[in-house]
Amino acid sequence: MLNLPDMNRLKIFFYVYKLGSSVAASQKLNLTQPAVSQQLKKLEEELKTPLFVRVHKQLVPTAAAQHL
């Protein structure tokens, strides 16, 4: 059986990736920033790979994030 990631988490990932910020994504999605971060963490656990690294207070997508 194929285990697909939660679609809401993918939506959150999309906005963080597109906007480059969990704060901007949280504002766009009408969520709190901690909720966005928590969902990203859960998505990374589901996929068993990091999607972003923090560099100088910015979220930089990993190769896995770019592939996704």
Side-chain angles (χ1 to χ4, degrees), residues 33-48:
Q33 186 278 327
V36 168
S37 293
Q38 182 181 36
Q39 292 303 308
L40 275 180
K41 182 179 177 183
K42 287 182 180 182
L43 181 60
E44 289 176 328
E45 289 170 359
E46 285 178 8
L47 298 175
K48 296 177 178 59

Side-chain angles (χ1 to χ4, degrees), residues 4-37:
L4 297 175
D6 181 276
M7 293 306 285
N8 288 325
R9 290 184 187 128
L10 288 175
K11 180 179 177 182
I12 290 169
F13 163 78
F14 170 78
Y15 280 103
V16 172
Y17 185 85
K18 178 180 175 183
L19 300 173
S21 160
S22 61
V23 172
S26 69
Q27 292 170 346
K28 181 77 173 174
L29 295 166
N30 237 4
L31 298 169
T32 65
Q33 186 278 327
V36 168
S37 293

